[in-house]
Amino acid sequence: MNTEKKSTTHSKENTESFIMISKSLIETKRLGKNGELDVYHLAIIKSIANNFQGVAYTGVTHLMKFIGMNTEQNKTRKRTKDSLLRLQEMGHIEIYENIAMENIVEELKPSNNYFVKPTGKDEDWGFAKVFYNDIQKIVAMKSDYKPKIFATYLNMIGNIFYGTSNVPISYTKIDTIVKSTGINRKSVVEYLKALYEEEILNFVYFQINNSVTKNYCTRWIHREYTSTWAAQQAEFHYKTYYKEFKSGGVGVSDERGVS
């Protein structure tokens, strides 16, 4: 792919806003049993904080309403409050009572809004680009498992590298996502299919030989290039010409036998 065409494809994203999520948060399993919820909340907070102050004015109830959760359930309110406090304890946000941001709040009232400042912790060591369009589509999905879907999405796009020598494609293995998130394999496949059906991520797959089938993924905005980029990557990885692959298709395969 020539430099001019790469520049054209990258420019499609240049007009889009995005947030950065530290790659230290991709392995949500390491964060505890609610790790995917914490990372999902952080993504929402960072998207709200896209202003000149870099601060989100939000709280437990507001955040729940924003992502379409039932605010009447005490259990859900507590889980949201605990998640925000965990994010602060981990150092990814700071919660203040007023805009002066002098004293950090350590007790949250569910009905109150606070000034929540993302810190950008660990982002200097590597980050995933998460575009607002993708976040908005995930928030709008009709699913009770959006934090898990977001964790699956983050694992897939976390290995897309942006640069003049790269094409923005990911080939993160399903089994890698399972290991990273602790989500069972069947559900990961379902969540990837949901991301495809909601036009968030585009997938193609190739059956390389009799035993290996492999998925390749781009953001939906690059769907016209997915097949071409995927074929190039697969040829390089498996040392086999595209015309010698057994078969292929559009969508998500269960990716058995991937090496």
Side-chain angles (χ1 to χ4, degrees), residues 78-104:
K78 183 179 185 307
R79 190 172 62 170
T80 303
K81 181 182 77 170
D82 291 346
S83 177
L84 293 176
L85 291 174
R86 277 195 305 273
L87 283 169
Q88 178 163 261
E89 185 178 349
M90 288 188 288
H92 292 287
I93 62 173
E94 295 171 350
I95 306 171
Y96 298 94
E97 197 160 25
N98 56 56
I99 194 59
M101 294 186 287
E102 295 171 341
N103 298 309
I104 288 178

PDB file of all heavy atoms in Angstrom, residues 78-104:
ATOM      1  N   LYS A  78     -24.838   1.078  44.108  1.00  0.00           N
ATOM      2  CA  LYS A  78     -23.652   0.766  44.913  1.00  0.00           C
ATOM      3  C   LYS A  78     -22.498   0.283  44.028  1.00  0.00           C
ATOM      4  O   LYS A  78     -21.339   0.664  44.224  1.00  0.00           O
ATOM      5  CB  LYS A  78     -23.982  -0.298  45.956  1.00  0.00           C
ATOM      6  CG  LYS A  78     -22.798  -0.610  46.884  1.00  0.00           C
ATOM      7  CD  LYS A  78     -23.156  -1.654  47.919  1.00  0.00           C
ATOM      8  CE  LYS A  78     -22.023  -1.864  48.918  1.00  0.00           C
ATOM      9  NZ  LYS A  78     -20.724  -2.149  48.286  1.00  0.00           N
ATOM     10  N   ARG A  79     -22.827  -0.534  43.047  1.00  0.00           N
ATOM     11  CA  ARG A  79     -21.788  -1.050  42.160  1.00  0.00           C
ATOM     12  C   ARG A  79     -21.135   0.081  41.370  1.00  0.00           C
ATOM     13  O   ARG A  79     -19.920   0.099  41.167  1.00  0.00           O
ATOM     14  CB  ARG A  79     -22.389  -2.086  41.198  1.00  0.00           C
ATOM     15  CG  ARG A  79     -21.339  -2.847  40.408  1.00  0.00           C
ATOM     16  CD  ARG A  79     -21.946  -3.974  39.620  1.00  0.00           C
ATOM     17  NE  ARG A  79     -22.895  -3.482  38.627  1.00  0.00           N
ATOM     18  CZ  ARG A  79     -23.427  -4.239  37.672  1.00  0.00           C
ATOM     19  NH1 ARG A  79     -23.119  -5.517  37.601  1.00  0.00           N
ATOM     20  NH2 ARG A  79     -24.273  -3.726  36.801  1.00  0.00           N
ATOM     21  N   THR A  80     -21.953   1.063  40.946  1.00  0.00           N
ATOM     22  CA  THR A  80     -21.419   2.211  40.211  1.00  0.00           C
ATOM     23  C   THR A  80     -20.550   3.073  41.118  1.00  0.00           C
ATOM     24  O   THR A  80     -19.454   3.493  40.746  1.00  0.00           O
ATOM     25  CB  THR A  80     -22.568   3.052  39.631  1.00  0.00           C
ATOM     26  OG1 THR A  80     -23.389   2.226  38.790  1.00  0.00           O
ATOM     27  CG2 THR A  80     -22.035   4.220  38.811  1.00  0.00           C
ATOM     28  N   LYS A  81     -21.039   3.330  42.330  1.00  0.00           N
ATOM     29  CA  LYS A  81     -20.262   4.137  43.289  1.00  0.00           C
ATOM     30  C   LYS A  81     -18.935   3.458  43.610  1.00  0.00           C
ATOM     31  O   LYS A  81     -17.872   4.100  43.596  1.00  0.00           O
ATOM     32  CB  LYS A  81     -21.076   4.333  44.581  1.00  0.00           C
ATOM     33  CG  LYS A  81     -20.350   5.191  45.617  1.00  0.00           C
ATOM     34  CD  LYS A  81     -21.167   5.334  46.894  1.00  0.00           C
ATOM     35  CE  LYS A  81     -21.089   4.073  47.726  1.00  0.00           C
ATOM     36  NZ  LYS A  81     -21.681   4.254  49.079  1.00  0.00           N
ATOM     37  N   ASP A  82     -18.976   2.163  43.871  1.00  0.00           N
ATOM     38  CA  ASP A  82     -17.751   1.425  44.194  1.00  0.00           C
ATOM     39  C   ASP A  82     -16.771   1.456  43.026  1.00  0.00           C
ATOM     40  O   ASP A  82     -15.548   1.542  43.223  1.00  0.00           O
ATOM     41  CB  ASP A  82     -18.078  -0.018  44.555  1.00  0.00           C
ATOM     42  CG  ASP A  82     -18.814  -0.140  45.885  1.00  0.00           C
ATOM     43  OD1 ASP A  82     -18.842   0.850  46.644  1.00  0.00           O
ATOM     44  OD2 ASP A  82     -19.358  -1.229  46.162  1.00  0.00           O
ATOM     45  N   SER A  83     -17.290   1.414  41.813  1.00  0.00           N
ATOM     46  CA  SER A  83     -16.431   1.444  40.627  1.00  0.00           C
ATOM     47  C   SER A  83     -15.701   2.778  40.523  1.00  0.00           C
ATOM     48  O   SER A  83     -14.488   2.812  40.257  1.00  0.00           O
ATOM     49  CB  SER A  83     -17.273   1.197  39.367  1.00  0.00           C
ATOM     50  OG  SER A  83     -16.482   1.279  38.205  1.00  0.00           O
ATOM     51  N   LEU A  84     -16.411   3.871  40.753  1.00  0.00           N
ATOM     52  CA  LEU A  84     -15.778   5.194  40.698  1.00  0.00           C
ATOM     53  C   LEU A  84     -14.693   5.329  41.764  1.00  0.00           C
ATOM     54  O   LEU A  84     -13.609   5.864  41.506  1.00  0.00           O
ATOM     55  CB  LEU A  84     -16.826   6.285  40.873  1.00  0.00           C
ATOM     56  CG  LEU A  84     -17.857   6.426  39.745  1.00  0.00           C
ATOM     57  CD1 LEU A  84     -18.895   7.493  40.098  1.00  0.00           C
ATOM     58  CD2 LEU A  84     -17.183   6.761  38.439  1.00  0.00           C
ATOM     59  N   LEU A  85     -14.984   4.831  42.958  1.00  0.00           N
ATOM     60  CA  LEU A  85     -14.003   4.917  44.035  1.00  0.00           C
ATOM     61  C   LEU A  85     -12.785   4.032  43.745  1.00  0.00           C
ATOM     62  O   LEU A  85     -11.652   4.388  44.079  1.00  0.00           O
ATOM     63  CB  LEU A  85     -14.648   4.533  45.366  1.00  0.00           C
ATOM     64  CG  LEU A  85     -15.695   5.540  45.887  1.00  0.00           C
ATOM     65  CD1 LEU A  85     -16.383   5.000  47.134  1.00  0.00           C
ATOM     66  CD2 LEU A  85     -15.045   6.898  46.174  1.00  0.00           C
ATOM     67  N   ARG A  86     -13.014   2.882  43.099  1.00  0.00           N
ATOM     68  CA  ARG A  86     -11.884   2.029  42.718  1.00  0.00           C
ATOM     69  C   ARG A  86     -11.002   2.716  41.681  1.00  0.00           C
ATOM     70  O   ARG A  86      -9.764   2.655  41.752  1.00  0.00           O
ATOM     71  CB  ARG A  86     -12.375   0.692  42.159  1.00  0.00           C
ATOM     72  CG  ARG A  86     -12.721  -0.351  43.196  1.00  0.00           C
ATOM     73  CD  ARG A  86     -12.844  -1.728  42.588  1.00  0.00           C
ATOM     74  NE  ARG A  86     -13.790  -1.796  41.489  1.00  0.00           N
ATOM     75  CZ  ARG A  86     -15.083  -2.018  41.632  1.00  0.00           C
ATOM     76  NH1 ARG A  86     -15.600  -2.204  42.842  1.00  0.00           N
ATOM     77  NH2 ARG A  86     -15.870  -2.075  40.579  1.00  0.00           N
ATOM     78  N   LEU A  87     -11.626   3.372  40.711  1.00  0.00           N
ATOM     79  CA  LEU A  87     -10.862   4.094  39.696  1.00  0.00           C
ATOM     80  C   LEU A  87      -9.999   5.180  40.339  1.00  0.00           C
ATOM     81  O   LEU A  87      -8.858   5.410  39.928  1.00  0.00           O
ATOM     82  CB  LEU A  87     -11.802   4.713  38.660  1.00  0.00           C
ATOM     83  CG  LEU A  87     -12.387   3.756  37.622  1.00  0.00           C
ATOM     84  CD1 LEU A  87     -13.500   4.440  36.823  1.00  0.00           C
ATOM     85  CD2 LEU A  87     -11.298   3.250  36.669  1.00  0.00           C
ATOM     86  N   GLN A  88     -10.565   5.841  41.358  1.00  0.00           N
ATOM     87  CA  GLN A  88      -9.787   6.858  42.062  1.00  0.00           C
ATOM     88  C   GLN A  88      -8.659   6.204  42.870  1.00  0.00           C
ATOM     89  O   GLN A  88      -7.520   6.689  42.863  1.00  0.00           O
ATOM     90  CB  GLN A  88     -10.687   7.673  42.993  1.00  0.00           C
ATOM     91  CG  GLN A  88      -9.925   8.719  43.795  1.00  0.00           C
ATOM     92  CD  GLN A  88     -10.839   9.779  44.386  1.00  0.00           C
ATOM     93  OE1 GLN A  88     -10.973  10.861  43.834  1.00  0.00           O
ATOM     94  NE2 GLN A  88     -11.483   9.470  45.506  1.00  0.00           N
ATOM     95  N   GLU A  89      -8.962   5.098  43.521  1.00  0.00           N
ATOM     96  CA  GLU A  89      -7.944   4.405  44.315  1.00  0.00           C
ATOM     97  C   GLU A  89      -6.805   3.916  43.420  1.00  0.00           C
ATOM     98  O   GLU A  89      -5.632   3.944  43.819  1.00  0.00           O
ATOM     99  CB  GLU A  89      -8.582   3.225  45.046  1.00  0.00           C
ATOM    100  CG  GLU A  89      -7.636   2.502  45.988  1.00  0.00           C
ATOM    101  CD  GLU A  89      -8.317   1.364  46.733  1.00  0.00           C
ATOM    102  OE1 GLU A  89      -9.553   1.270  46.670  1.00  0.00           O
ATOM    103  OE2 GLU A  89      -7.608   0.563  47.357  1.00  0.00           O
ATOM    104  N   MET A  90      -7.128   3.489  42.201  1.00  0.00           N
ATOM    105  CA  MET A  90      -6.100   3.027  41.258  1.00  0.00           C
ATOM    106  C   MET A  90      -5.317   4.181  40.651  1.00  0.00           C
ATOM    107  O   MET A  90      -4.300   3.973  39.999  1.00  0.00           O
ATOM    108  CB  MET A  90      -6.735   2.191  40.147  1.00  0.00           C
ATOM    109  CG  MET A  90      -7.209   0.824  40.591  1.00  0.00           C
ATOM    110  SD  MET A  90      -7.756  -0.221  39.190  1.00  0.00           S
ATOM    111  CE  MET A  90      -9.297   0.573  38.733  1.00  0.00           C
ATOM    112  N   GLY A  91      -5.833   5.405  40.829  1.00  0.00           N
ATOM    113  CA  GLY A  91      -5.117   6.573  40.335  1.00  0.00           C
ATOM    114  C   GLY A  91      -5.498   7.019  38.938  1.00  0.00           C
ATOM    115  O   GLY A  91      -4.816   7.857  38.347  1.00  0.00           O
ATOM    116  N   HIS A  92      -6.617   6.513  38.403  1.00  0.00           N
ATOM    117  CA  HIS A  92      -7.022   6.870  37.044  1.00  0.00           C
ATOM    118  C   HIS A  92      -7.953   8.080  36.989  1.00  0.00           C
ATOM    119  O   HIS A  92      -8.101   8.694  35.933  1.00  0.00           O
ATOM    120  CB  HIS A  92      -7.671   5.669  36.350  1.00  0.00           C
ATOM    121  CG  HIS A  92      -6.705   4.560  36.076  1.00  0.00           C
ATOM    122  ND1 HIS A  92      -5.744   4.652  35.092  1.00  0.00           N
ATOM    123  CD2 HIS A  92      -6.518   3.360  36.689  1.00  0.00           C
ATOM    124  CE1 HIS A  92      -5.018   3.540  35.091  1.00  0.00           C
ATOM    125  NE2 HIS A  92      -5.464   2.751  36.048  1.00  0.00           N
ATOM    126  N   ILE A  93      -8.571   8.404  38.110  1.00  0.00           N
ATOM    127  CA  ILE A  93      -9.390   9.624  38.192  1.00  0.00           C
ATOM    128  C   ILE A  93      -9.184  10.258  39.557  1.00  0.00           C
ATOM    129  O   ILE A  93      -8.716   9.612  40.506  1.00  0.00           O
ATOM    130  CB  ILE A  93     -10.903   9.350  37.987  1.00  0.00           C
ATOM    131  CG1 ILE A  93     -11.441   8.410  39.081  1.00  0.00           C
ATOM    132  CG2 ILE A  93     -11.191   8.823  36.595  1.00  0.00           C
ATOM    133  CD1 ILE A  93     -12.957   8.232  39.048  1.00  0.00           C
ATOM    134  N   GLU A  94      -9.553  11.543  39.643  1.00  0.00           N
ATOM    135  CA  GLU A  94      -9.619  12.256  40.911  1.00  0.00           C
ATOM    136  C   GLU A  94     -10.995  12.880  41.004  1.00  0.00           C
ATOM    137  O   GLU A  94     -11.475  13.483  40.040  1.00  0.00           O
ATOM    138  CB  GLU A  94      -8.534  13.334  40.978  1.00  0.00           C
ATOM    139  CG  GLU A  94      -7.124  12.762  40.976  1.00  0.00           C
ATOM    140  CD  GLU A  94      -6.043  13.817  40.827  1.00  0.00           C
ATOM    141  OE1 GLU A  94      -6.398  14.992  40.535  1.00  0.00           O
ATOM    142  OE2 GLU A  94      -4.854  13.481  40.986  1.00  0.00           O
ATOM    143  N   ILE A  95     -11.647  12.738  42.152  1.00  0.00           N
ATOM    144  CA  ILE A  95     -13.020  13.208  42.330  1.00  0.00           C
ATOM    145  C   ILE A  95     -13.018  14.377  43.311  1.00  0.00           C
ATOM    146  O   ILE A  95     -12.530  14.251  44.441  1.00  0.00           O
ATOM    147  CB  ILE A  95     -13.931  12.083  42.854  1.00  0.00           C
ATOM    148  CG1 ILE A  95     -13.830  10.845  41.942  1.00  0.00           C
ATOM    149  CG2 ILE A  95     -15.381  12.556  42.943  1.00  0.00           C
ATOM    150  CD1 ILE A  95     -14.530   9.612  42.502  1.00  0.00           C
ATOM    151  N   TYR A  96     -13.572  15.512  42.855  1.00  0.00           N
ATOM    152  CA  TYR A  96     -13.611  16.722  43.676  1.00  0.00           C
ATOM    153  C   TYR A  96     -15.053  17.208  43.834  1.00  0.00           C
ATOM    154  O   TYR A  96     -15.900  16.982  42.953  1.00  0.00           O
ATOM    155  CB  TYR A  96     -12.778  17.834  43.027  1.00  0.00           C
ATOM    156  CG  TYR A  96     -11.312  17.499  42.893  1.00  0.00           C
ATOM    157  CD1 TYR A  96     -10.813  16.949  41.706  1.00  0.00           C
ATOM    158  CD2 TYR A  96     -10.429  17.735  43.939  1.00  0.00           C
ATOM    159  CE1 TYR A  96      -9.463  16.646  41.574  1.00  0.00           C
ATOM    160  CE2 TYR A  96      -9.070  17.438  43.814  1.00  0.00           C
ATOM    161  CZ  TYR A  96      -8.600  16.890  42.626  1.00  0.00           C
ATOM    162  OH  TYR A  96      -7.269  16.591  42.502  1.00  0.00           O
ATOM    163  N   GLU A  97     -15.279  17.928  44.941  1.00  0.00           N
ATOM    164  CA  GLU A  97     -16.631  18.424  45.220  1.00  0.00           C
ATOM    165  C   GLU A  97     -16.916  19.724  44.483  1.00  0.00           C
ATOM    166  O   GLU A  97     -18.066  20.014  44.157  1.00  0.00           O
ATOM    167  CB  GLU A  97     -16.815  18.624  46.728  1.00  0.00           C
ATOM    168  CG  GLU A  97     -18.265  18.725  47.152  1.00  0.00           C
ATOM    169  CD  GLU A  97     -18.432  18.430  48.632  1.00  0.00           C
ATOM    170  OE1 GLU A  97     -17.466  18.619  49.403  1.00  0.00           O
ATOM    171  OE2 GLU A  97     -19.540  18.014  49.004  1.00  0.00           O
ATOM    172  N   ASN A  98     -15.874  20.527  44.209  1.00  0.00           N
ATOM    173  CA  ASN A  98     -16.101  21.793  43.526  1.00  0.00           C
ATOM    174  C   ASN A  98     -15.028  22.020  42.474  1.00  0.00           C
ATOM    175  O   ASN A  98     -14.025  21.320  42.410  1.00  0.00           O
ATOM    176  CB  ASN A  98     -16.144  22.962  44.524  1.00  0.00           C
ATOM    177  CG  ASN A  98     -14.883  23.021  45.373  1.00  0.00           C
ATOM    178  OD1 ASN A  98     -13.766  23.099  44.848  1.00  0.00           O
ATOM    179  ND2 ASN A  98     -15.053  22.976  46.691  1.00  0.00           N
ATOM    180  N   ILE A  99     -15.255  23.024  41.646  1.00  0.00           N
ATOM    181  CA  ILE A  99     -14.385  23.263  40.498  1.00  0.00           C
ATOM    182  C   ILE A  99     -12.988  23.723  40.900  1.00  0.00           C
ATOM    183  O   ILE A  99     -12.040  23.634  40.105  1.00  0.00           O
ATOM    184  CB  ILE A  99     -15.035  24.308  39.547  1.00  0.00           C
ATOM    185  CG1 ILE A  99     -14.329  24.309  38.187  1.00  0.00           C
ATOM    186  CG2 ILE A  99     -15.064  25.683  40.185  1.00  0.00           C
ATOM    187  CD1 ILE A  99     -14.336  22.995  37.470  1.00  0.00           C
ATOM    188  N   ALA A 100     -12.836  24.194  42.120  1.00  0.00           N
ATOM    189  CA  ALA A 100     -11.497  24.569  42.587  1.00  0.00           C
ATOM    190  C   ALA A 100     -10.576  23.359  42.678  1.00  0.00           C
ATOM    191  O   ALA A 100      -9.350  23.495  42.622  1.00  0.00           O
ATOM    192  CB  ALA A 100     -11.589  25.255  43.952  1.00  0.00           C
ATOM    193  N   MET A 101     -11.189  22.186  42.808  1.00  0.00           N
ATOM    194  CA  MET A 101     -10.458  20.903  42.821  1.00  0.00           C
ATOM    195  C   MET A 101      -9.294  20.918  43.819  1.00  0.00           C
ATOM    196  O   MET A 101      -8.153  20.662  43.481  1.00  0.00           O
ATOM    197  CB  MET A 101      -9.981  20.550  41.409  1.00  0.00           C
ATOM    198  CG  MET A 101     -11.126  20.259  40.453  1.00  0.00           C
ATOM    199  SD  MET A 101     -10.617  19.664  38.824  1.00  0.00           S
ATOM    200  CE  MET A 101      -9.961  21.169  38.129  1.00  0.00           C
ATOM    201  N   GLU A 102      -9.655  21.219  45.058  1.00  0.00           N
ATOM    202  CA  GLU A 102      -8.644  21.302  46.110  1.00  0.00           C
ATOM    203  C   GLU A 102      -8.594  20.040  46.970  1.00  0.00           C
ATOM    204  O   GLU A 102      -7.521  19.568  47.316  1.00  0.00           O
ATOM    205  CB  GLU A 102      -8.916  22.524  46.988  1.00  0.00           C
ATOM    206  CG  GLU A 102      -8.761  23.842  46.247  1.00  0.00           C
ATOM    207  CD  GLU A 102      -9.235  25.023  47.068  1.00  0.00           C
ATOM    208  OE1 GLU A 102      -9.998  24.813  48.038  1.00  0.00           O
ATOM    209  OE2 GLU A 102      -8.841  26.161  46.743  1.00  0.00           O
ATOM    210  N   ASN A 103      -9.757  19.506  47.307  1.00  0.00           N
ATOM    211  CA  ASN A 103      -9.805  18.350  48.200  1.00  0.00           C
ATOM    212  C   ASN A 103     -10.500  17.172  47.520  1.00  0.00           C
ATOM    213  O   ASN A 103     -11.630  17.296  47.040  1.00  0.00           O
ATOM    214  CB  ASN A 103     -10.559  18.708  49.493  1.00  0.00           C
ATOM    215  CG  ASN A 103      -9.870  19.819  50.259  1.00  0.00           C
ATOM    216  OD1 ASN A 103      -8.667  19.748  50.518  1.00  0.00           O
ATOM    217  ND2 ASN A 103     -10.625  20.843  50.620  1.00  0.00           N
ATOM    218  N   ILE A 104      -9.833  16.059  47.494  1.00  0.00           N
ATOM    219  CA  ILE A 104     -10.393  14.852  46.874  1.00  0.00           C
ATOM    220  C   ILE A 104     -11.506  14.285  47.756  1.00  0.00           C
ATOM    221  O   ILE A 104     -11.379  14.208  48.979  1.00  0.00           O
ATOM    222  CB  ILE A 104      -9.286  13.801  46.650  1.00  0.00           C
ATOM    223  CG1 ILE A 104      -8.366  14.247  45.505  1.00  0.00           C
ATOM    224  CG2 ILE A 104      -9.872  12.425  46.345  1.00  0.00           C
ATOM    225  CD1 ILE A 104      -7.217  13.307  45.224  1.00  0.00           C
TER     226      ILE A 104
END
